[in-house]
Amino acid sequence: MVDPTTGPAKRSLRALGHGLDPVLAIGKDGLTDGVIAACAEALLAHELIKVRVLAEAPVDRKEVAAELAEKTTSTLAQVLGRTFLLYKRHPKKPRVRIDV
């Protein structure tokens, strides 16, 4: 199993996430329990997800990305503009293959 926090692994995750559309948006209410729950479900279903921070969100994009990664025990692979990538390996059936 590859450690997703290493540089080459994050590079691979960024390449895989390039073509993804955001599956979750953080809006004017900021980081709520509902957003955290939805993120956890999306990570379980997809392993690698893109999240968008909307312009009206009252939170800093880098801070909310780090906080959401911490609360979902996932790896923050990239913050680019108002979007960021999160990765969490599926406990039983991993689908995302990290090439290093």
Side-chain angles (χ1 to χ4, degrees):
M1 183 168 74
V2 176
D3 179 12
T5 60
T6 63
K10 282 188 179 184
R11 208 168 16 260
S12 177
L13 289 171
R14 287 193 302 265
L16 291 169
H18 178 72
L20 296 179
D21 291 323
V23 296
L24 189 64
I26 298 173
K28 63 181 168 76
D29 294 331
L31 191 59
T32 62
D33 291 340
V35 170
I36 295 168
C39 183
E41 286 180 29
L43 283 166
L44 190 61
H46 302 287
E47 290 186 310
L48 182 65
I49 63 168
K50 192 178 277 188
V51 181
R52 170 160 287 141
V53 180
L54 301 178
E56 62 267 12
V59 291
D60 178 69
R61 61 193 171 90
K62 290 181 181 177
E63 289 175 8
V64 77
E67 188 176 347
L68 190 55
E70 180 184 326
K71 292 194 180 208
T72 58
T73 62
S74 59
T75 300
L76 178 61
Q78 179 183 38
V79 178
L80 186 64
R82 294 194 151 275
T83 61
F84 57 92
L85 278 174
L86 293 176
Y87 170 75
K88 184 173 183 180
R89 188 175 187 270
H90 193 282
K92 294 185 177 139
K93 294 185 266 181
R95 284 180 277 168
V96 174
R97 185 166 171 256
I98 301 173
D99 295 323
V100 287

